[in-house]
């Protein structure tokens, strides 16, 4: 489940219900409805004062004894802060896990701009797309294309240059879901995979059979 706003996100297991709102996720006993614990998002080192209530619990999932979430700058506050000239480019830069046996944070990973709908948990790994990519990573990925570009001239080269600039490159990342250790990351070309159609569809990620 995921949501960019402060409205509740829900996920259930055989014996518990988890309801997220604001910066917390409340764990209820499924049989009695009693509150077991209230989990909180990790403290962020934003420039924005914490009392402004900048962050909310976004994505939520439960797998292998861990509660997973993301720390997200609230969209309405993000708009307001931008009007004030505040720097809030990374709406969702943190993914984290909490050990449900102890209630303690197991790990926290700070990315650049993690996309909620691309988080996929499978086979002990947490996969996602980080929509920020460095100029060096972009150049390395497009190296062959740029080499081929040098052989072109005139209109053909002009069109090829436009195509290169249009390419939407992002980072695919895989973490160890138990420890949060980054196992690998690689640039991927997701041109024409997001904001499609009248509804502006978003890119998602799925994992199957390895």
């Amino acid at each position: 489940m995921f949501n960019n706003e402060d409205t509740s996100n829900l996920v259930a297991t055989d014996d518990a219900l988890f309801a997220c709102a604001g910066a917390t996720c409340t764990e209820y006993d499924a049989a009695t409805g009693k509150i077991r614990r209230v989990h909180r998002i990790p403290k962020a080192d934003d420039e924005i004062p914490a009392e402004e209530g900048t962050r909310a619990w976004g994505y939520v999932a439960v797998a292998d004894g861990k509660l997973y979430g993301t720390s997200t700058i609230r969209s309405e506050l993000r708009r307001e802060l931008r009007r004030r000239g505040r720097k809030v480019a990374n709406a969702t830069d943190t993914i984290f896990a909490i050990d449900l046996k102890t209630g303690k944070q197991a790990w926290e990973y700070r990315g650049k701009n993690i996309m909620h709908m691309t988080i996929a948990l499978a086979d002990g790994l947490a996969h996602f797309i980080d929509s920020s990519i460095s100029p060096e990573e972009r150049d390395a990925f497009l190296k062959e294309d740029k080499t081929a570009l040098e052989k072109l001239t005139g209109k053909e080269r002009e069109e090829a240059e436009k195509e290169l600039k249009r390419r939407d490159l992002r980072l695919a990342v895989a973490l160890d879901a138990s420890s949060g250790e980054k196992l690998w990351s690689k640039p991927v070309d997701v041109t024409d995979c997001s904001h499609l159609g009248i509804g502006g569809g978003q890119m998602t990620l799925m994992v199957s059979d390895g």
Side-chain angles (χ1 to χ4, degrees):
M1 294 286 293
F2 56 87
N3 196 313
N4 288 330
E5 308 298 332
D6 278 348
T7 51
S8 294
N9 301 324
L10 304 173
V11 65
T13 63
D14 290 340
D15 65 346
L17 172 68
F18 300 83
C20 303
T24 64
C25 181
T26 303
E27 178 182 348
Y28 296 92
D29 185 286
T32 66
K34 292 183 178 179
I35 294 175
R36 290 180 178 175
R37 283 196 182 100
V38 177
H39 306 281
R40 296 184 180 277
I41 60 175
K43 185 178 180 181
D45 57 359
D46 294 318
E47 297 176 8
I48 306 156
E51 61 268 20
E52 293 196 49
T54 56
R55 288 177 174 264
W57 194 303
Y59 172 89
V60 61
V62 175
D64 300 322
K66 286 187 173 58
L67 172 66
Y68 296 89
T70 57
S71 175
T72 305
I73 294 178
R74 291 164 44 208
S75 60
E76 75 279 8
L77 180 60
R78 185 166 69 246
R79 290 191 293 269
E80 175 60 28
L81 290 171
R82 280 178 177 155
R83 280 196 289 270
R84 292 192 231 160
R86 302 298 287 269
K87 187 178 180 182
V88 289
N90 298 334
T92 303
D93 60 6
T94 305
I95 182 170
F96 58 90
I98 293 171
D99 188 318
L100 288 174
K101 284 186 178 180
T102 65
K104 295 181 178 179
Q105 184 177 308
W107 54 262
E108 172 186 352
Y109 176 86
R110 295 295 294 268
K112 293 180 180 178
N113 199 339
I114 298 167
M115 301 175 68
H116 284 147
M117 287 176 283
T118 66
I119 298 173
L121 303 172
D123 305 323
L125 300 178
H127 312 80
F128 56 86
I129 298 294
D130 191 327
S131 61
S132 299
I133 186 171
S134 72
E136 293 77 17
E137 289 167 326
R138 183 180 179 86
D139 286 342
F141 187 87
L142 296 175
K143 187 176 181 180
E144 285 188 23
D145 299 275
K146 289 184 175 180
T147 300
L149 189 65
E150 294 174 359
K151 301 174 183 177
L152 303 177
T153 58
K155 187 71 173 178
E156 195 175 14
R157 176 163 182 150
E158 184 180 326
E159 291 300 320
E161 286 176 341
K162 287 181 181 178
E163 175 63 24
L164 278 185
K165 290 178 181 178
R166 194 180 72 87
R167 299 275 284 277
D168 186 356
L169 304 183
R170 309 187 189 189
L171 281 182
V173 181
L175 308 181
D176 183 303
S178 179
S179 67
E181 176 188 0
K182 185 164 81 169
L183 302 179
W184 55 261
S185 66
K186 63 175 294 181
V188 290
D189 187 344
V190 298
T191 306
D192 298 328
C193 291
S194 60
H195 299 288
L196 299 178
I198 295 174
Q202 295 289 327
M203 177 172 59
T204 60
L205 196 70
M206 291 180 284
V207 179
S208 178
D209 298 329

